[in-house]
Amino acid sequence: KAGGNVEQNLQFEAIRTTRTKLLLLDVSGSMSDSMDGLKQAVERLATTASIKWVAFNDTVVATGDTADEFNNIGASGGTEYIPAIQKAQEICSEMLVDQVILISDGAPFEDISDILLEATKLNQPIHTISIGEVGASVMQQISSETNGEQIIVDNLSQIEQTITSSFNY
């Protein structure tokens, strides 16, 4: 019986130490000047953590789990958070995700009450990283409503440092 407990403890420890970050990445047209920096940040994060990402504009553009897959995506379209949050719900129901991090530079076209309704269905904190101030107030409401944290950065070079220092536990 003691051997079984040791094995169980090792299995639980392996689960605890698996750190999968689900990145909800805004690739709308306003991100066109920031795409190179976003791709570099995703590449650096992929070397330090297990990642899954959802690229979105006004719809889900693509999903993946490697930086190479994300490198093929360009910026276009508008900004809507709900499709990405709904995709996050689907992903979180299929796999263990330690952190959900929304990265965007803009304010979404949807009504904030509709976004918050979807965000709370995730039953997990949504951490937000606002690139600049444009969408910061909406993203602050999302992080606050879901018990996540919000960080505002001036440029993408700060994202990797921000994620690794602020959201690790």
Side-chain angles (χ1 to χ4, degrees):
K1 188 172 184 176
N5 288 340
V6 169
E7 185 176 332
Q8 282 181 331
N9 288 343
L10 289 174
Q11 288 173 344
F12 285 124
E13 189 60 33
I15 290 170
R16 254 195 307 275
T17 59
T18 302
R19 297 204 187 279
T20 300
K21 295 180 188 317
L22 176 56
L23 307 173
L24 307 180
L25 305 169
D26 180 356
V27 296
S28 64
S30 64
M31 289 289 291
S32 60
D33 291 340
S34 302
M35 284 302 292
D36 287 342
L38 186 59
K39 289 174 182 180
Q40 289 172 5
V42 170
E43 191 170 317
R44 287 190 303 267
L45 283 169
T47 64
T48 61
S50 173
I51 65 165
K52 180 87 175 165
W53 54 263
V54 175
F56 70 94
N57 49 30
D58 45 15
T59 186
V60 172
V61 175
T63 62
D65 53 14
T66 68
D68 287 342
E69 293 168 309
F70 185 67
N71 283 335
N72 298 322
I73 295 175
S76 67
T79 305
E80 293 188 10
Y81 294 163
I82 291 174
I85 293 169
Q86 289 172 334
K87 187 65 172 178
Q89 293 167 2
E90 182 183 316
I91 291 168
C92 288
S93 73
E94 296 170 355
M95 64 182 287
L96 179 66
V97 172
D98 293 314
Q99 296 177 328
V100 178
I101 303 168
L102 169 65
I103 302 173
S104 178
D105 72 339
F109 296 122
E110 305 118 322
D111 185 86
I112 185 62
S113 61
D114 295 335
I115 296 169
L116 294 176
L117 180 64
E118 288 303 316
T120 56
K121 288 180 187 177
L122 192 57
N123 292 320
Q124 183 161 337
I126 299 176
H127 304 296
T128 60
I129 299 178
S130 303
I131 304 166
E133 297 285 340
V134 174
S137 65
V138 171
M139 292 176 76
Q140 196 285 320
Q141 290 179 65
I142 293 168
S143 60
S144 178
E145 186 74 20
T146 63
N147 296 314
E149 297 176 41
Q150 181 197 31
I151 295 172
I152 300 171
V153 298
D154 294 324
N155 60 61
L156 286 164
S157 64
Q158 299 170 305
I159 288 180
E160 179 193 11
Q161 177 66 28
T162 298
I163 291 174
T164 55
S165 65
S166 300
F167 302 141
N168 280 341
Y169 40 89

